[in-house]
Amino acid sequence: MAAKRRVTIRDVAERAGVSVATASRVLSGNYPVPQATRAKVLRAAQALDYVANAHARALVGGGRKMVAVLVRQVTSPFYAHVAEGVEAEAAAHGWLCLVGTTGGEPQRELEFVQLMREEGARLVILVGGVVEDDDYRARVAQYAHALDASGARLVLCGRPAPSPDIPALVVEFDNEAGARAITSHLLSAGHRRIVFLGGLPGNTALDARVAGYRAALAQHRLPADAARVVDCGLGRANGQRAMAELLKGERDFTAVFAGDDMVAAGALHAIAAAGLRVPDDISVVGYNDIPLAADFNPPLTTVRTPAEELGREAVRIALRTSEDTLSTRHVLGTHIVVRESVAAPPPERTP
C-alpha cells in the first residue's frame, strides 16, 4: 500500500479558502480570529484529518520527545512490567513516557491514539494480546497510517501486525514455544491428562499458548482428544471459578496449565479450598513468571516472559533509523522456571 501523503497546513488553508498565516493562527489558538473564519479552518482540518507535524512543533519548542504506552490495565503485573520497561528505556534516551489504559475497550484505545497524535507523541506502543477480527485489523491499519502521516511510529508490543504492509513495528515473545516447553515439562513428569485453563478464543496471545499446548501433546503421540481447553479467560477470579467448577465433577485430570500466573493463583486457591494439595494431588503450571509466582503456595513452575525487556525493546527498535527496522518482526525468547508446583501424578491416576 502506497504511503499516504502527509496533509500540510497549506492544504488546510486552500480547502478553507484562507491564507496559510490565517490557518496557522486558527490552529495554534494563540491569535484572535473571526468566528466564521475559525469555523471554516476547523472544518477543513477535520475533513483532511490534519494534525500538526510533531517534528516541526519540536523544532519551534512546541513539542517534547514523548512515548505513549497503552495497556489493558496497570494492575496486571505483566502489563505493569512492560510499561516499566518502556518508561525506563524512554528515560534513558531523555524522552517523556505517558501510560494509558483501555480496560479492553476499543473506543478508549482509539481515543487515546488520536489524543497522542494530536499531542505530538513521537511513538505510540500498544501492548498485549487482542482478538484479531476484521474490526481490529481495520483499526490498527488506521492507527498506523494516521501516526505515520504525522511523523510518529506505531509499535505493536506482544501482538502481531494484522498486515505486513502497514507502517508498524512488532516486538513480541514466542508464546507458542513457551507453551510447548511447559507442557512438555508436565508430560516428562508423567502427566497425560492435562487441562489448559484460561483459553480466550481469538485472543492472539492465548491462541498461541493453546497451539503450543496442543503441539506438545501431539509430539508425545497423544490423540487430539487428549487436549482439554477451558475457555475462562484470564484473571485470578476467572481461574478460581473455572477450577472450582472442574473439581465439582469427576477429577479426570492430573495437571493444569494455566493461561497466565494470575489464573494459576485462582486455580491454586480453588484446589486448596477443595481439600486437595499441589503438587501431590494436582500439578499446576503458569505463564509469565510475575514476581509473586515465587511466593505462591507452593512456588509456581511457570514460563518466564521478558516483560520489562519487551517494553525496552519496543522503544529501542522504534528509535533506530534503519529502514530495515520497518519490515522486521522482533521476537524475544522465553524459558521455564522450575519451582515446586509439579510432581509425578498420583499412582492411582496414572493411565
Side-chain angles (χ1 to χ4, degrees), residues 83-114:
E84 186 174 318
V86 171
E87 197 283 330
E89 192 65 27
H93 290 274
W95 286 43
L96 178 68
C97 177
L98 298 180
V99 179
T101 64
T102 67
E105 296 178 15
Q107 184 60 33
R108 285 176 62 180
E109 182 178 84
L110 175 64
E111 291 170 355
F112 184 87
V113 172
Q114 180 60 25

Side-chain angles (χ1 to χ4, degrees), residues 148-341:
D148 184 64
S150 62
R153 278 186 168 180
L154 175 67
V155 181
L156 304 176
C157 188
R159 64 172 80 170
S163 173
D165 63 351
I166 68 170
L169 309 176
V170 174
V171 56
E172 56 187 332
F173 50 82
D174 197 335
N175 268 303
E176 185 171 343
R180 190 165 58 245
I182 199 76
T183 306
S184 295
H185 179 72
L186 289 171
L187 290 162
S188 297
H191 296 278
R192 294 297 180 269
R193 288 172 287 180
I194 305 167
V195 173
F196 185 97
L197 191 70
L200 187 61
N203 181 281
T204 52
L206 288 171
D207 280 353
R209 293 173 196 177
V210 170
Y213 158 74
R214 293 183 184 278
L217 297 180
Q219 285 171 359
H220 283 73
R221 300 184 179 179
L222 295 180
D225 61 8
R228 184 177 178 185
V229 179
V230 177
D231 293 329
C232 66
L234 298 181
R236 185 181 186 277
N238 286 336
Q240 182 175 340
R241 184 165 46 249
M243 189 74 245
E245 285 297 317
L246 283 175
L247 293 173
K248 286 179 181 177
E250 181 184 356
R251 186 154 47 95
D252 56 354
F253 57 93
T254 63
V256 173
F257 173 7
D260 75 357
D261 294 341
M262 295 308 293
V263 173
L268 290 173
H269 188 276
I271 291 169
L276 300 172
R277 295 174 299 170
V278 175
D280 304 66
D281 298 306
I282 302 172
S283 290
V284 178
V285 299
Y287 210 102
N288 284 337
D289 193 29
I290 64 174
L292 286 175
D295 298 321
F296 288 175
N297 184 23
L300 186 68
T301 293
T302 185
V303 176
R304 176 169 294 168
T305 56
E308 184 173 340
E309 180 61 21
L310 197 69
R312 285 183 174 274
E313 186 66 8
V315 177
R316 290 190 197 114
I317 66 170
L319 296 185
R320 292 174 191 158
T321 57
S322 170
E323 288 299 317
D324 292 339
T325 304
L326 294 175
S327 59
T328 301
R329 173 174 171 255
H330 302 257
V331 181
L332 306 182
T334 60
H335 65 273
I336 297 175
V337 178
V338 177
R339 296 194 178 100
E340 301 168 27
S341 63

